[in-house]
Structures are given as structure tokens and as C-alpha cells.
Amino acid sequence: MNPLNLPQYDIKVMEKDGKRLILDELRRKYVALTPEEWVRQHFVHFLMEHRNYPSGLLANEVELKIGDKRLRCDSILYNKEAHPQMIIEYKAPHITLTQKVFDQISAYNLLLHVDYLIVSNGLQHICCRMDYAKNTYRFLQEIPTYEEVMSDK
């Protein structure tokens, strides 16, 4: 896999039945090593190791239901009361982060009403802070620390 614009970590990869798998520590299992999964695992480790996000408050592949339709959030950060605070959407490094990507994460946010939205393709990371009182959002220069997210209440 290609290098990303994220810190390296002790990656655990294995091969089983001719397929490459990567350890997802949050789901506590090996999952298919796709370009998007490569980004997810690096980004989650960045959040935990460099931004102090507790692993117990992060979840990968969270299913949401809208009527009969099922959606799947790539990652969600919860607060200590188990309320979603952040949605993170990952794309493979070759995918450009476009308005369509933001439309996808915005659809998830209609259900979850979180304070932060992040999209990343591993090379570019875009984070915005929602302001529901003013019905706006603002882009942040960097990914906030866990302490910043929780103190921003």
C-alpha cells in the first residue's frame, strides 16, 4: 500500500486464503485490506496515538437505519454518555474529496446531529465544526484533539 499523509504505526497485516488482511483494533479482528481500510486504520491510530482519542469511544462500521434503508458510517466518535460527537468518512487515496463525499457524510449527520465531520483519503483531511445555532459550519485548519472536541461543548 502507498504511504499516506498520516503517521506510521505498528501495522499488523496477515494473509489468509490468498487475501491480505489488516488488524482493526476497534473491531478486534482482521478485515480485508482495501485502500479505504488502509486509510481508516491509519487515521484511527492517528486519532488515538496523536490526538488522544480513547479507543473505547471510537467505533468503526456503524450501521444506521433510515426507514428500510441501511447506511454505514466509517467511524464515529462518541462522548462518555454514548452520544455521537464526530463522523469520519474515509475514501481510498486515489479518490478526490469532492462535494459528493460531503453530501454522503451530511446524510449521516441528518440522523446523528454531531458537532464534527471529517473526510479523509489519507492524503488530504478535511474537518468542519458544525454550528447548529447559526445553521452554518466552519472548516478547521487541523484535526482537533479529543480534549478540544470535548471542551467545545
Side-chain angles (χ1 to χ4, degrees):
M1 292 281 166
N2 293 331
L4 301 174
N5 185 16
L6 290 162
Q8 289 292 315
Y9 73 99
D10 184 22
I11 304 163
K12 294 185 176 46
V13 176
M14 67 178 278
E15 193 162 319
K16 184 176 180 183
D17 300 327
K19 295 181 182 176
R20 292 186 71 197
L21 306 172
I22 188 168
L23 179 63
D24 181 331
E25 291 182 25
L26 298 181
R27 290 182 272 179
R28 294 180 176 87
K29 66 179 182 178
Y30 280 87
V31 297
L33 177 53
T34 63
E36 183 178 310
E37 196 62 46
W38 181 250
V39 171
R40 180 197 330 263
Q41 295 309 317
H42 276 79
F43 201 90
V44 165
H45 278 85
F46 163 71
L47 291 176
M48 293 186 307
E49 294 174 14
H50 299 273
R51 291 292 188 228
N52 301 321
Y53 286 56
S55 62
L57 298 179
L58 287 164
N60 286 338
E61 293 287 317
V62 178
E63 186 175 89
L64 305 175
K65 292 181 184 179
I66 302 177
D68 293 340
K69 190 173 183 179
R70 294 175 187 265
L71 304 173
R72 193 174 299 272
C73 289
D74 287 338
S75 296
I76 294 180
L77 169 70
Y78 296 91
N79 65 18
K80 291 179 181 174
E81 291 78 37
H83 297 290
Q85 299 299 300
M86 177 184 288
I87 302 171
I88 310 162
E89 179 66 26
Y90 309 104
K91 296 297 177 192
H94 69 276
I95 303 293
T96 304
L97 301 182
T98 63
Q99 183 63 49
K100 185 176 179 180
V101 175
F102 271 94
D103 292 346
Q104 179 181 0
I105 199 171
S106 295
Y108 302 154
N109 198 35
L110 290 174
L111 291 172
L112 298 178
H113 205 73
V114 300
D115 294 327
Y116 292 88
L117 301 176
I118 297 177
V119 294
S120 176
N121 63 6
L123 303 173
Q124 181 183 15
H125 325 293
I126 301 172
C127 179
C128 66
R129 169 75 166 98
M130 306 303 293
D131 184 341
Y132 295 103
K134 296 179 182 174
N135 206 21
T136 63
Y137 57 90
R138 65 181 164 88
F139 290 99
L140 306 179
Q141 294 299 311
E142 59 184 44
I143 306 301
T145 64
Y146 175 74
E147 293 77 15
E148 291 168 333
V149 169
M150 292 303 138
S151 70
D152 210 10
K153 298 271 138 234

